[in-house]
Amino acid sequence: MTIDATVVLDIGKTNAKLTLLDAAGAILAEKRRPNNIVHAGPYPHHDTEGLWDWLQTGLAAFARLAHVTAIVPVTHGATAALVDDAGLVLPILDYESTLPQSLAAEYASLRPAFGDSLSPQLPCGLNLGLQLFWLARTYPQEFARARHILTYPQYWAWRLSGVAASEVTSLGCHTDLWQPQQGAYSSLVETMDWAPLFPPLQAAWTALGPVLPQWRESNGLLPDCQVLCGIHDSNASLLRYLDAQEQAQPRTVLSTGTWAIAAAFGAPLGRLDETADMLANVHALGQPVACMRFMGGREFAVLAGSEPQVCGVDDIARLVSQGTLALPCFAESGGPFVGQAGRIAGPAPRTAQERYALATLYCALMSDYCLDTLDAQGPVTVEGSFTDNPHFAALLAALRPGQEVSVSQDASGTTCGGWMLHRWGQVPAMEATLEPMMEVDGLTAYRAQWRAICRPD
């Protein structure tokens, strides 16, 4: 019997993953590779050709295992491609690049007000509009050749299918390009006359067309293999919860990976503070969701060290008892404390296990801070890489005794979301484990001390 399968191409900021899933959402095979940045050439940019070769090899391998009927791109945000009919007219800029300040004042005069875009001013190239503005001013001849501006999931969909599309979850992801509450392009797009470069809007689950014959034949894919429009990765993690929102049930999804992003359904947009990396993302059905984020995976890696070793509860308790605090922030990009230099107060951790414990405490405290600042109500579900940490959710539950904290049992919320786009209308059973609160003496006072130092005002 031939297996009807879906391939999800999931490109995160740190790693890329290709997953083959059957019609019930079970994983049949998986391939991974680093998402490398190329530092040669005009500016730091994504290794799209390396990813493309890896994708082709993976698709050929998966085609031998199952009948692949759809390929679904899921990627990180703040990234776009400028293409003509032949391909890229410029390399795809890495959003962690520090852009020259020579155009900062002019861009600041053009970007829409936060109340319109709900997109805060962010460091480096995290505002996609700034990237495009800088490229237009710095490389005007190449920019003029572009036929389309494609947000990153749609670039991979276009490369596979030849069909150009735009999609709201990537357009509405701190880009300065979108008005979430109006469902329309921002004043920046109008001012820069970029609207003709954005292809027609399509739903994330739209089948754009079959894989182009030259790629299909070289990989052993069949003619009925469709390429879907695709979606921003954090929004892929939200898909399984959208039905609940039709019943107006407040809840929060904490999507974790390189970024930890708290998406609080039902939280008031009026609480968003553009100085604290608070923003509205736009979910797949086009509605804004109040969010707050920090670079959790990146900061955890800095604190835990190059050879992390899982700690015990006793390691966490010891750090709390002796007042060892990790104070933000340990990444240069984003978060409510961006611009502050991370430091450790109190006795330094002595072992790899204590470093892991400190990283876990830090990420739990930061997540708790974000949830409070958002006024997040209802249950909290942890998705993504932090679900592998045996203590993170239990610590978060201890910090938030008034809310249920559960851990998704999915291997990846983003992969599950990509699968759901192909199986639109099918919602997999919610497999989440309710997390008991960790018992640590002095945790409440430790939390208060951490917050008092982080926010002395």
Side-chain angles (χ1 to χ4, degrees):
M1 180 178 177
T2 302
I3 300 172
D4 177 9
T6 306
V7 170
V8 176
L9 170 63
D10 180 1
I11 303 175
K13 188 60 178 70
T14 305
N15 295 293
K17 181 172 62 174
L18 195 67
T19 308
L20 181 71
L21 303 101
D22 68 15
I27 294 176
L28 303 174
E30 188 176 274
K31 295 183 179 295
R32 295 173 180 261
R33 64 156 278 165
N35 184 16
N36 298 320
I37 300 300
V38 179
H39 292 276
Y43 45 75
H45 59 275
H46 289 277
D47 180 18
T48 50
E49 293 314 303
L51 284 170
W52 178 255
D53 292 343
W54 167 80
L55 171 62
Q56 297 306 303
T57 301
L59 289 174
F62 288 175
R64 293 191 291 269
L65 299 176
H67 176 195
V68 178
T69 54
I71 302 171
V72 188
V74 180
T75 83
H76 59 80
T79 305
L82 295 164
V83 302
D84 60 14
D85 291 335
L88 291 172
V89 300
L90 284 165
I92 298 178
L93 180 65
D94 172 28
Y95 68 59
E96 291 189 84
S97 300
T98 301
L99 301 180
Q101 292 299 301
S102 57
L103 298 172
E106 184 182 0
Y107 182 74
S109 71
L110 295 175
R111 68 187 302 266
F114 180 73
D116 294 331
S117 68
L118 300 180
S119 170
Q121 184 174 354
L122 297 172
C124 303
L126 280 164
N127 294 119
L128 182 56
L130 175 58
Q131 290 185 42
L132 295 174
F133 181 76
W134 181 77
L135 291 170
R137 289 288 192 265
T138 310
Y139 303 96
Q141 293 181 336
E142 292 85 349
F143 199 99
R145 284 173 38 212
R147 182 179 176 189
H148 301 300
I149 299 172
L150 301 175
T151 44
Y152 207 34
Q154 288 67 55
Y155 164 72
W156 292 102
W158 169 81
R159 192 153 179 183
L160 286 162
S161 70
V163 178
S166 298
E167 191 272 333
V168 293
T169 64
S170 289
L171 286 173
C173 170
H174 51 84
T175 64
D176 295 347
L177 302 171
W178 193 252
Q179 299 179 86
Q181 296 173 96
Q182 287 73 36
Y185 288 106
S186 74
S187 58
L188 175 66
V189 175
E190 297 176 5
T191 300
M192 297 301 297
D193 196 25
W194 288 340
L197 294 174
F198 287 100
L201 279 167
Q202 302 289 353
W205 57 86
T206 300
L208 299 182
V211 177
L212 289 168
Q214 60 266 38
W215 313 129
R216 185 180 72 232
E217 292 165 5
S218 63
N219 294 328
L221 298 168
L222 296 178
D224 63 346
C225 182
Q226 293 286 314
V227 180
L228 271 59
C229 183
I231 192 168
H232 170 230
D233 55 7
S234 297
N235 278 285
S237 294
L238 300 184
L239 283 175
R240 65 157 69 240
Y241 305 99
L242 294 187
D243 279 353
Q245 301 324 302
E246 295 176 3
Q247 303 170 32
Q249 298 176 358
R251 70 175 306 129
T252 300
V253 180
L254 184 61
S255 175
T256 62
T258 301
W259 290 91
I261 303 174
F265 289 105
L269 298 176
R271 287 182 66 93
L272 298 180
D273 177 358
E274 63 179 315
T275 68
D277 211 345
M278 300 177 77
L279 63 147
N281 273 325
V282 179
H283 67 54
L285 301 182
Q287 297 302 307
V289 182
C291 295
M292 190 170 181
R293 61 189 205 147
F294 66 102
M295 220 167 190
R298 186 70 55 80
E299 295 191 272
F300 186 96
V302 170
L303 286 164
S306 58
E307 298 182 0
Q309 295 186 30
V310 176
C311 66
V313 176
D314 57 330
D315 296 300
I316 293 172
R318 185 163 51 254
L319 294 182
V320 170
S321 176
Q322 69 190 28
T324 299
L325 298 164
L327 300 168
C329 56
F330 298 89
E332 295 181 358
S333 299
F337 304 106
V338 67
Q340 295 182 202
R343 62 187 179 93
I344 295 173
R350 297 170 298 174
T351 66
Q353 289 84 357
E354 286 192 352
R355 288 192 292 273
Y356 189 100
L358 187 60
T360 304
L361 278 163
Y362 175 81
C363 289
L365 287 164
M366 284 289 289
S367 298
D368 170 60
Y369 178 83
C370 290
L371 294 172
D372 267 1
T373 307
L374 281 166
D375 190 23
Q377 303 294 316
V380 178
T381 303
V382 180
E383 299 260 9
S385 64
F386 283 9
T387 63
D388 292 332
N389 184 315
H391 308 301
F392 171 79
L395 260 176
L396 186 62
L399 292 166
R400 308 190 66 77
Q403 286 180 286
E404 291 184 354
V405 176
S406 59
V407 177
S408 171
Q409 298 305 298
D410 286 335
S412 168
T414 53
T415 298
C416 175
W419 173 86
M420 285 181 65
L421 290 180
H422 182 207
R423 313 291 174 175
W424 195 244
Q426 297 183 46
V427 179
M430 181 58 201
E431 297 181 10
T433 301
L434 189 64
E435 196 69 23
M437 292 186 290
M438 180 182 290
E439 296 184 7
V440 178
D441 290 341
L443 184 62
T444 300
Y446 180 87
R447 172 183 186 256
Q449 182 185 12
W450 184 87
R451 288 198 176 188
I453 299 173
C454 291
R455 289 289 192 204
D457 53 345

